Amino acid sequence: MAKIAVVTDSTAYLTKDIIEKYHIHVVPLAINFGTRSYREGLDLSTEDFYDMLKVEQELPTTSQPAIGDFVKLYEELAKEYDEAIAIHLSSGISGTMNTSLAAANMVEGIHVEVIDSEIACYAQGFMVIEAAQMVTEGKKLEEIKSRIEWIVKNIKAYFVVDDLSHLHRGGRLNAAQMIVGSILKIKPIIYFQDKKLEPFEKVRTKKKAFERILQLLDGDLKNGGKFKVSVIQGNVIEEAEELLNKIKETYSNVEVNISDFGPVIGAHTGPGTIGITWYRVE
């Protein structure tokens, strides 16, 4: 039986326990404050990142891993594994997946399937965990790839952005939209469409935005089946806990947790962002 490695990048925001339990190999992206660069999850925690945002003069930038980081990892994996599955954040917002693919093609002795999650954060994390679980169950690479590609097509995620300036600076919102949105206190609901972050709906208040996302969640969960759900939060843990409790109280067919908008994604969405991602397990 072929030995399969599981690879991802730091924007899946997996916990240390999960990474260690399933022996997941994580390549970090970087967050940059001026000339200072930090590897996400290694040199800078999510908590420290949001603390720095409060005091830093300039907003941070982000950068993808160097191709050498992936080449080095795949060369190391080739010594122990026959195959690997690598699941990365959407190619529509980062070149990470394409860099991983290029590196995989440069390394001999291991076959690597590179998958575009077409999303980020714990939606991507769900895919990585499921792939790792299937490896432990002895599933073949082709079967794992097929399952993850199904999740890519069927997973859902919606986010409420608290501060429009971060999206504007990242080119996701033009100046006119930002000004009008700020004046009207519009809270856009954002989702991934065709691998990119796009506005889904514009809602007047954060409360109404949450209600709309919960309505979308209900549309899927009320039909039965088992679902995994994650409430993703950017330094608003109390709001996330409130949503988590509401979901737990309303549905019996869910496994739900709280996860983070970590530094790299949080640099583009800003503090106060909160969202929900879900998919059907069976």
Side-chain angles (χ1 to χ4, degrees), residues 6 8-15 18 22 24 87-89 117 119-133 148 151 155 228 230 232 257 259 277 279:
V6 178
T8 191
D9 57 73
S10 57
T11 64
Y13 300 122
L14 299 172
T15 64
I18 289 289
Y22 292 110
I24 297 166
I87 304 168
H88 296 295
L89 81 159
S117 73
I119 207 160
C121 297
Y122 215 79
Q124 174 189 340
F126 275 142
M127 300 175 199
V128 179
I129 293 168
E130 183 136 347
Q133 289 172 336
I148 302 309
I151 298 174
I155 199 163
K228 286 190 177 180
S230 186
I232 312 171
N257 71 353
S259 56
T277 181
Y279 78 105

Side-chain angles (χ1 to χ4, degrees), residues 12-281:
Y13 300 122
L14 299 172
T15 64
K16 184 178 179 182
D17 288 345
I18 289 289
I19 291 168
E20 291 178 352
K21 178 180 179 180
Y22 292 110
H23 308 289
I24 297 166
H25 304 271
V26 182
V27 179
L29 276 76
I31 186 88
N32 312 301
F33 284 93
T35 58
R36 291 163 295 149
S37 183
Y38 304 90
R39 293 170 300 170
E40 183 175 54
L42 295 177
D43 307 321
L44 184 67
S45 68
T46 296
E47 184 179 357
D48 289 342
F49 164 73
Y50 284 107
D51 285 342
M52 288 177 71
L53 272 186
K54 297 173 187 175
V55 297
E56 290 290 332
Q57 299 268 326
E58 53 185 302
L59 292 173
T61 60
T62 60
S63 53
Q64 67 184 56
I67 191 168
D69 295 340
F70 282 109
V71 170
K72 182 179 178 181
L73 173 61
Y74 292 140
E75 286 177 342
E76 285 297 314
L77 292 179
K79 298 174 184 177
E80 185 180 352
Y81 296 89
D82 307 296
E83 299 172 325
I85 184 163
I87 304 168
H88 296 295
L89 81 159
S90 177
S91 62
I93 62 172
S94 172
T96 300
M97 189 216 73
N98 288 325
T99 300
S100 176
L101 180 60
N105 290 331
M106 294 167 63
V107 177
E108 296 181 353
I110 185 169
H111 171 67
V112 184
E113 288 286 352
V114 180
I115 294 180
D116 186 346
S117 73
E118 301 186 14
I119 207 160
C121 297
Y122 215 79
Q124 174 189 340
F126 275 142
M127 300 175 199
V128 179
I129 293 168
E130 183 136 347
Q133 289 172 336
M134 291 181 76
V135 168
T136 64
E137 293 165 4
K139 305 294 186 184
K140 293 182 179 180
L141 183 62
E142 192 57 41
E143 188 177 354
I144 299 169
K145 178 187 175 186
S146 178
R147 172 61 178 168
I148 302 309
E149 288 176 339
W150 182 90
I151 298 174
V152 170
K153 290 181 174 63
N154 289 278
I155 199 163
K156 296 179 182 177
Y158 297 91
F159 316 101
V160 184
V161 178
D162 193 54
D163 183 351
L164 299 178
S165 65
H166 293 267
L167 281 175
H168 169 60
R169 188 178 60 87
R172 306 296 173 187
L173 205 64
N174 65 41
Q177 288 174 320
M178 188 183 76
I179 292 168
V180 171
S182 298
I183 292 171
L184 298 178
K185 293 184 169 57
I186 287 173
K187 299 294 181 187
I189 298 174
I190 306 296
Y191 74 143
F192 276 87
Q193 175 73 6
D194 297 328
K195 305 180 183 180
K196 294 184 179 180
L197 280 169
E198 301 286 355
F200 175 71
E201 286 180 5
K202 294 176 182 177
V203 186
R204 286 295 297 270
T205 67
K206 202 170 188 180
K207 181 182 178 182
K208 288 188 180 297
F210 288 159
E211 289 173 355
R212 177 63 175 127
I213 295 174
L214 288 171
Q215 183 184 52
L216 293 166
L217 176 69
D218 181 72
D220 285 345
L221 268 60
K222 69 181 181 183
N223 293 323
K226 292 185 178 179
F227 286 79
K228 286 190 177 180
V229 179
S230 186
V231 179
I232 312 171
Q233 61 90 30
N235 207 35
V236 279
I237 188 65
E238 290 181 2
E239 290 181 18
E241 288 172 345
E242 188 177 329
L243 278 174
L244 177 137
N245 290 331
K246 187 175 290 188
I247 293 166
K248 277 185 173 180
E249 290 165 5
T250 308
Y251 307 100
S252 60
N253 58 332
V254 298
E255 180 184 317
V256 58
N257 71 353
I258 293 175
S259 56
D260 296 325
F261 284 101
V264 167
I265 303 299
H268 298 286
T269 56
T273 301
I274 194 164
I276 304 176
T277 181
W278 67 91
Y279 78 105
R280 183 171 178 153
V281 180

